[in-house]
Amino acid sequence: MEKSLITHPEKPLFIEHINEEHQDDLVNIATVLINNINIAKQGNADMDINTEIERVLITEIYHQGIDIQVNYTQRPSETHFIAFPAPIEQLKELQSQYIILKQQTDKKLGRQSIKLRKQQFTFIDSFLVTANMYRLLLSTSDDIPLEQAGYAYLFDLESPHKPSQPLSRQHCYYTLRKAWHTPTEIDTQRQTLAWVDVYLHGDTAGGNWARSLKPNDVISSKREFPEKIQHLDDGKGQVLLIADETSLPTVARLLELWHNPTPPIIISITNDPADQDYLTHDIGTPAQQATIIPISQTAQAELVTTIEDTIKTHISDAGIKIDKVWGALEANTAKTLRKRLKPLFDLPRGDFVLKVYWRLNNE
Ligand SMILES: Cc1cc2nc3c(=O)[nH]c(=O)nc-3n(C[C@H](O)[C@H](O)[C@H](O)COP(=O)(O)OP(=O)(O)OC[C@H]3O[C@@H](n4cnc5c(N)ncnc54)[C@H](O)[C@@H]3O)c2cc1C
């Protein structure tokens, strides 16, 4: 195939972002597309197919596809070209082609994938769960996951009530804290209700949007993202969860649906100590059985060291072996923490998931 290079000043940044934050996707795309694997067809969705791949890096972007360098643990690295389903004109179209590649890969792996579709919600009510965690009670259509932790929606922050200032961002991911069906008061037709918990931290686009909503406002999302928590599903081993205010809604739902006989250890990070009650607020027994280690009032710059010290004191020195990790934090914190914890836990990539949920803006 004839390949022509994409030229754009932001191309290196884009490549760096995907290589840093979407390693799992890249490894899956490489494994499935290079080897033409179709696990869904073979009916073995749990098979760990990429144990021999160490790392996959995008090295070049063309109008027609990407070059990836696949580094193996036991053999020399290889470079492969992965064609886009449809060639792109500009760099900004890369995201949609990347999403299609991811969807194709997930389908072949028999996994849920990111969905590009509009979902509408009607705002009913809101209240503070803890000092800064603001709960939206919404009604929606019934095709929403009821028994899945960490399912997130990319909400359009355009409020039906015009803000006084232009928005600093147009969209924001918020997790479905919980959803359930209920009969309505008027008739027996079921209604689907949902909670979305928004962390309020000053004058920000997401928080202002949440606070601006009034009963019967219709809000919408344009993309849906199932969190990568399949590795926690087999109900075995000691799980460590590391979450701040943005990922605690996922941890809360994980706790409600917990079926592993070994309760998880949770590092719960909140700026305000008053938000430490969030996990125990409306969760019963599973939360009481979990070991919750609070970290509060720690500057982002010191957070990695504090988390590391906490793990050493409460886990390593106590002789506890961690079998699986899930967490989601600020971008630089997640990046540095991954590097520091990798040698400490020595887990396969699929059992060590530390995601980026937000980005510190130092402007
Ligand atoms: C898959 C996914 C699911 C998510 N689920 C949730 C959820 O359920 N609830 C939730 O509240 N968030 C959730 N988030 C994070 C949410 O999308 C971010 O918090 C969002 O970027 C913050 O938007 P904002 O408008 O409040 O602040 P921004 O406009 O992004 O930032 C404004 C300022 O606030 C700072 N800032 C941003 N976030 C934080 C923070 N968490 N702590 C301290 N300072 C911050 C920034 O550095 C910046 O200076 C999720 C993110 C992802 C990717």
Side-chain angles (χ1 to χ4, degrees):
M1 179 192 288
E2 185 87 5
K3 294 188 288 183
S4 50
L5 278 178
I6 285 268
T7 49
H8 192 283
E10 285 185 16
K11 186 167 81 172
L13 271 179
F14 211 96
I15 292 180
E16 191 188 323
H17 164 79
I18 305 234
N19 286 345
E20 277 295 337
E21 291 176 24
H22 298 273
Q23 250 321 290
D24 284 318
D25 292 345
L26 287 177
V27 170
N28 287 340
I29 287 172
T31 318
V32 168
L33 298 183
I34 295 169
N35 301 315
N36 203 13
I37 287 176
N38 195 338
I39 290 178
K41 262 196 182 155
Q42 292 156 16
N44 191 1
D46 289 336
M47 192 170 108
D48 198 353
I49 38 136
N50 40 42
T51 45
E52 55 157 4
I53 295 184
E54 169 113 59
R55 202 165 154 75
V56 176
L57 298 171
I58 296 184
T59 51
E60 193 49 272
I61 303 176
Y62 306 89
H63 291 277
Q64 298 78 7
I66 47 176
D67 272 344
I68 54 169
Q69 182 188 307
V70 185
N71 296 335
Y72 294 95
T73 46
Q74 311 275 346
R75 56 188 167 108
S77 59
E78 293 168 358
T79 299
H80 292 269
F81 174 72
I82 306 276
F84 292 139
I88 59 174
E89 290 287 326
Q90 300 168 37
L91 190 68
K92 66 176 187 200
E93 297 163 46
L94 176 63
Q95 192 186 44
S96 59
Q97 293 306 307
Y98 179 81
I99 288 176
I100 298 172
L101 285 178
K102 180 168 160 49
Q103 287 171 328
Q104 289 177 344
T105 306
D106 287 334
K107 191 171 176 202
K108 289 189 174 173
L109 289 172
R111 290 182 188 161
Q112 260 196 323
S113 194
I114 195 161
K115 277 190 197 143
L116 302 183
R117 67 165 184 179
K118 187 170 171 173
Q119 176 86 15
Q120 286 196 324
F121 301 80
T122 304
F123 176 85
I124 299 176
D125 197 3
S126 57
F127 55 95
L128 281 167
V129 184
T130 55
N132 306 285
M133 295 297 280
Y134 190 64
R135 177 160 294 164
L136 308 182
L137 173 64
L138 308 169
S139 72
T140 188
S141 54
D142 62 5
D143 55 346
I144 193 166
L146 303 184
E147 303 275 306
Q148 194 174 344
Y151 200 86
Y153 290 85
L154 186 61
F155 284 97
D156 186 348
L157 298 185
E158 195 69 59
S159 167
H161 313 282
K162 285 282 165 228
S164 47
Q165 293 154 0
L167 287 174
S168 58
R169 56 188 300 172
Q170 194 62 45
H171 295 95
C172 192
Y173 269 115
Y174 287 112
T175 306
L176 185 65
R177 161 67 185 80
K178 181 180 172 174
W180 67 99
H181 296 313
T182 174
T184 61
E185 287 158 19
I186 312 149
D187 56 35
T188 50
Q189 247 191 351
R190 73 177 183 185
Q191 192 185 8
T192 305
L193 298 180
W195 284 341
V196 168
D197 290 349
V198 175
Y199 173 44
L200 300 181
H201 54 103
D203 180 14
T204 69
N208 292 346
W209 165 80
R211 273 180 292 216
S212 77
L213 298 172
K214 297 196 170 46
N216 297 321
D217 281 351
V218 175
I219 55 176
S220 62
S221 62
K222 66 164 193 175
R223 198 188 295 164
E224 299 169 25
F225 172 78
E227 187 45 83
K228 194 175 179 301
I229 47 161
Q230 308 91 303
H231 63 304
L232 313 181
D233 273 357
D234 68 1
K236 291 186 206 141
Q238 179 63 66
V239 172
L240 171 66
L241 305 169
I242 309 173
D244 66 13
E245 296 92 343
T246 64
S247 42
L248 283 172
T250 297
V251 170
R253 191 65 183 141
L254 274 171
L255 278 180
E256 282 171 343
L257 302 171
W258 200 256
H259 57 270
N260 178 344
T262 311
I265 299 173
I266 303 167
I267 298 184
S268 161
I269 304 155
T270 64
N271 286 303
D272 185 342
D275 288 318
Q276 284 296 338
D277 287 345
Y278 177 78
L279 278 186
T280 46
H281 186 270
D282 35 39
I283 309 163
T285 323
Q288 286 157 18
Q289 287 169 352
T291 304
I292 302 176
I293 307 167
I295 294 179
S296 282
Q297 289 172 315
T298 306
Q300 281 297 326
E302 288 150 29
L303 193 52
V304 171
T305 308
T306 309
I307 297 173
E308 225 187 345
D309 291 347
T310 305
I311 288 174
K312 282 190 182 135
T313 313
H314 293 266
I315 297 174
S316 314
D317 292 354
I320 299 169
K321 182 179 176 305
I322 297 298
D323 300 301
K324 284 155 193 189
V325 176
W326 182 85
L329 299 166
E330 190 276 331
N332 279 320
T333 308
K335 191 170 143 186
T336 316
L337 197 61
R338 263 184 226 132
K339 284 193 191 128
R340 302 251 194 109
L341 295 188
K342 213 169 170 264
L344 189 69
F345 293 139
D346 192 25
L347 293 171
R349 185 185 27 251
D351 288 337
F352 182 80
V353 180
L354 210 47
K355 301 287 295 284
V356 169
Y357 267 18
W358 63 280
R359 215 165 278 279
L360 189 66
N361 179 356
N362 288 319
E363 280 171 54

